[in-house]
């Protein structure tokens, strides 16, 4: 499976999981000048910016290990852009990571802060 197909598979698994636990998916693959946010969802009244990392094995470490400080910074910048566009500057927000290893899901709630 190539990298793009693996990413799409991971995001599909994550979206199904989020819907199952009651999140409302607002947007997927939000693109901005600095990159992309995989999933933006609502957990009750909280806007959640979610990075999805999928791996089929541990050859390169745990999926969440790939969410580096640089990647976190880019996600926060994307969240700022999204908040401005959608007038959510004062709305509560959170940054989660969903790591998927094969079929196993690990949802890291409030994985990092802005």
């Amino acid at each position: 499976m190539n990298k793009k197909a693996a990413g799409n598979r991971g995001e599909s698994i994550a979206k199904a999981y989020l819907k199952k636990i009651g999140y409302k998916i607002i947007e997927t693959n939000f693109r901005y000048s600095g990159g992309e946010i995989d999933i933006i969802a609502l957990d009750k009244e909280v806007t959640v910016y979610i990075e999805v990392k999928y791996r089929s094995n541990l050859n390169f470490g745990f999926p969440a290990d790939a969410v580096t400080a640089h990647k976190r910074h880019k996600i926060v910048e994307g969240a700022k852009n999204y908040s401005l566009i959608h007038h959510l500057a004062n709305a509560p927000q959170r940054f989660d990571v969903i790591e998927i290893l094969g079929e196993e899901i690990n949802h890291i709630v409030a994985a990092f802060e802005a």
Side-chain angles (χ1 to χ4, degrees), residues 1-38:
M1 182 179 320
N2 69 35
K3 192 173 183 178
K4 180 70 174 159
N8 289 340
R9 176 170 166 70
E11 287 179 24
S12 292
I13 292 168
K15 286 187 287 189
Y17 162 79
L18 290 166
K19 288 176 185 175
K20 183 178 177 181
I21 64 169
Y23 285 46
K24 179 182 177 196
I25 307 294
I26 301 171
E27 190 160 342
T28 58
N29 305 110
F30 172 71
R31 295 182 191 281
Y32 58 98
S33 62
E36 177 182 284
I37 296 176
D38 295 328

Side-chain angles (χ1 to χ4, degrees), residues 86-100:
H86 296 281
H87 311 288
L88 299 171
N90 296 318
Q93 66 179 9
R94 191 176 75 220
F95 298 91
D96 291 3
V97 173
I98 294 180
E99 67 173 356
I100 302 167

Side-chain angles (χ1 to χ4, degrees), residues 47-107:
T47 303
V48 185
Y49 301 94
I50 303 162
E51 177 68 10
V52 178
K53 289 297 179 188
Y54 171 86
R55 290 194 176 152
S56 58
N57 58 54
L58 289 173
N59 290 348
F60 297 100
F62 285 96
D65 294 343
V67 186
T68 62
H70 178 71
K71 181 68 175 171
R72 291 189 301 268
H73 176 74
K74 288 175 67 172
I75 293 167
V76 169
E77 289 303 309
K80 288 177 185 175
N81 282 320
Y82 186 86
S83 293
L84 285 172
I85 292 167
H86 296 281
H87 311 288
L88 299 171
N90 296 318
Q93 66 179 9
R94 191 176 75 220
F95 298 91
D96 291 3
V97 173
I98 294 180
E99 67 173 356
I100 302 167
L101 184 57
E103 297 298 319
E104 193 171 319
I105 298 169
N106 181 25
H107 183 182

